[in-house]
Amino acid sequence: MPPSVYHSLLNHFLTLLVSFFERVAAPVESPEKTSFGDIDIIVSEPKILPFHSEQIATVLNAERSISLKPIYSFAVPYPDLEGCFVQLDIQLCKAKDFEWEVFHKSHGDLWNLLGSSIRPFGLTANDTGLHLRVSEIEASDRKKALIFLTADPDAVLDFLHLDRKWYWRTFGTVDDMFVYACSTRFFRAAAYAKDGLKANDRKRMTQRDLYRRFVDDFVPIRNIATEGDDDDAGLTREALFDEALIKFGKTNEYEARIKVWRKEKEEISHKQGTRKRRKEQAKEAEAYADAWIDALKSKARNAGQDSENMGDRSRLR
């Protein structure tokens, strides 16, 4: 649908949904979009309990609806086009997750770009918030390696040194969004070198046009005088790790996590050592038994040979 229809319907749906939910918002759309495939709205705290999507379907005059919790999809009549429909996707989330969901889903591919910048420093932003990865644990267990830092959008923007006001506006152009992505203190052009891209980033190169444009066209030709803030030019993952723990008050959680991890690792190592010793002992016992059996067979063969020789001597007499 064209932008004019999209924005008209979006505003109409937002107005309708405030009667059903305490909080209603749409993620900020990507720049330079000339058409929209569907409409996404995020809601929380239903005003009428228990919540039934059929109530909304009736108000929307939806032809069909599908509930795949937490996403509720509705086929709503397209204005002035009989037999055509617009897909409205409503995501119902918990109150504590509402701000992060709207924040993280805004600007389309922006977080794909930012993700490649923050990853080398041990940071990960996913659908639950900003996390710090513990390098000692990461190689063995990626899930246990994540330490939750925050799901506060302002706190994340401040930590990444990104402008708050600009984030909540629709960027005028794709290049404007690219410039914003480069303004984080964690941006390093080397992170986008094609020969060093991670598997997920290489996949994005083939599936996400904006990401490909950023890597192929924007980063190489843009004359970036500085990368990140001057104070962060020599920032390392280790230094950032300590900074993040202190900034978000996660030092005690990290110390407890790493203590448990090292204990588990020690126990696993001990069990593996015990199994290895048992295997070696079993192998030695098997070798001893084989040697013993071979000795018995050899003794039996020798005894038989001696008996045969004695019989031959008796016949000669």
Side-chain angles (χ1 to χ4, degrees):
M1 76 193 90
S4 58
V5 174
Y6 168 82
H7 287 108
S8 175
L9 288 175
L10 174 62
N11 291 330
H12 174 62
F13 295 150
L14 290 173
T15 301
L16 288 178
L17 291 175
V18 295
S19 300
F20 293 90
F21 303 95
E22 295 291 343
R23 308 184 77 179
V24 179
V28 182
E29 61 262 23
S30 298
E32 297 185 14
K33 291 198 73 169
T34 58
S35 65
F36 294 81
D38 55 17
I39 298 176
D40 297 313
I41 295 178
I42 299 173
V43 300
S44 72
E45 302 174 75
K47 293 181 178 180
I48 303 173
L49 295 174
F51 168 72
H52 296 292
S53 61
E54 292 80 5
Q55 299 167 341
I56 297 177
T58 300
V59 173
L60 293 172
N61 193 29
E63 180 73 15
R64 287 189 61 189
S65 64
I66 300 175
S67 298
L68 298 174
K69 299 178 182 179
I71 305 294
Y72 299 85
S73 298
F74 304 88
V76 183
Y78 194 102
D80 303 322
L81 285 178
E82 187 176 351
C84 295
F85 301 91
V86 172
Q87 179 174 325
L88 169 63
D89 291 332
I90 299 176
Q91 178 182 348
L92 175 60
C93 64
K94 297 178 181 178
K96 67 180 183 64
D97 300 327
F98 178 80
E99 288 187 359
W100 180 261
E101 287 287 352
V102 177
F103 172 75
H104 193 240
K105 285 183 167 62
S106 290
H107 303 295
D109 286 304
L110 177 60
W111 275 101
N112 286 331
L113 306 179
L114 292 174
S116 296
S117 286
I118 67 176
R119 188 186 307 117
F121 292 93
L123 294 170
T124 293
N126 58 23
D127 58 356
T128 60
L130 182 67
H131 301 259
L132 187 64
R133 304 192 311 276
V134 182
S135 57
E136 184 176 335
I137 303 176
E138 187 176 7
S140 302
D141 193 322
R142 293 183 180 180
K143 187 176 181 180
K144 287 185 178 180
L146 293 179
I147 294 180
F148 173 79
L149 296 178
T150 183
D152 180 346
D154 286 344
V156 171
L157 292 174
D158 291 347
F159 191 64
L160 271 57
H161 290 195
L162 292 171
D163 187 87
R164 293 186 186 182
K165 291 181 180 179
W166 273 106
Y167 190 90
W168 295 111
R169 302 171 181 170
T170 300
F171 294 108
T173 66
V174 169
D175 275 5
D176 288 342
M177 186 175 77
F178 288 169
V179 171
Y180 186 81
C182 292
S183 69
T184 175
R185 64 175 174 140
F186 298 112
F187 175 80
R188 303 291 185 273
Y192 300 89
K194 294 181 69 173
D195 58 354
L197 292 178
K198 300 292 184 181
N200 286 342
D201 292 334
R202 292 195 298 272
K203 185 177 181 180
R204 290 189 185 99
M205 288 284 288
T206 63
Q207 297 180 348
R208 310 297 299 182
D209 183 60
L210 282 184
Y211 190 87
R212 181 198 58 76
R213 287 170 58 184
F214 185 73
V215 174
D216 279 347
D217 304 330
F218 189 80
V219 174
I221 66 173
R222 178 174 168 78
N223 182 20
I224 302 173
T226 59
E227 293 187 342
D229 298 346
D230 291 340
D231 294 339
D232 295 308
L235 185 65
T236 63
R237 177 172 178 173
E238 292 73 23
L240 186 279
F241 188 86
D242 294 336
E243 178 189 339
L245 290 179
I246 295 172
K247 172 71 175 179
F248 296 100
K250 298 293 180 175
T251 301
N252 291 340
E253 181 179 340
Y254 161 70
E255 291 176 348
R257 178 85 58 87
I258 202 67
K259 183 178 180 180
V260 170
W261 169 256
R262 288 171 179 171
K263 184 178 180 181
E264 290 177 353
K265 190 176 180 181
E266 183 179 346
E267 291 174 351
I268 292 172
S269 179
H270 177 72
K271 290 179 180 178
Q272 290 175 339
T274 300
R275 285 196 294 267
K276 184 178 179 180
R277 287 192 297 273
R278 287 176 178 172
K279 287 182 179 180
E280 291 175 348
Q281 291 171 354
K283 190 174 181 180
E284 291 175 359
E286 184 179 357
Y288 176 82
D290 290 342
W292 183 68
I293 292 172
D294 288 342
L296 289 178
K297 289 180 178 179
S298 178
K299 187 175 181 180
R301 285 195 298 271
N302 292 336
Q305 187 63 45
D306 291 342
S307 177
E308 184 178 342
N309 292 338
M310 289 179 64
D312 291 341
R313 286 196 294 271
S314 297
R315 286 193 292 274
L316 289 173
R317 293 175 186 167

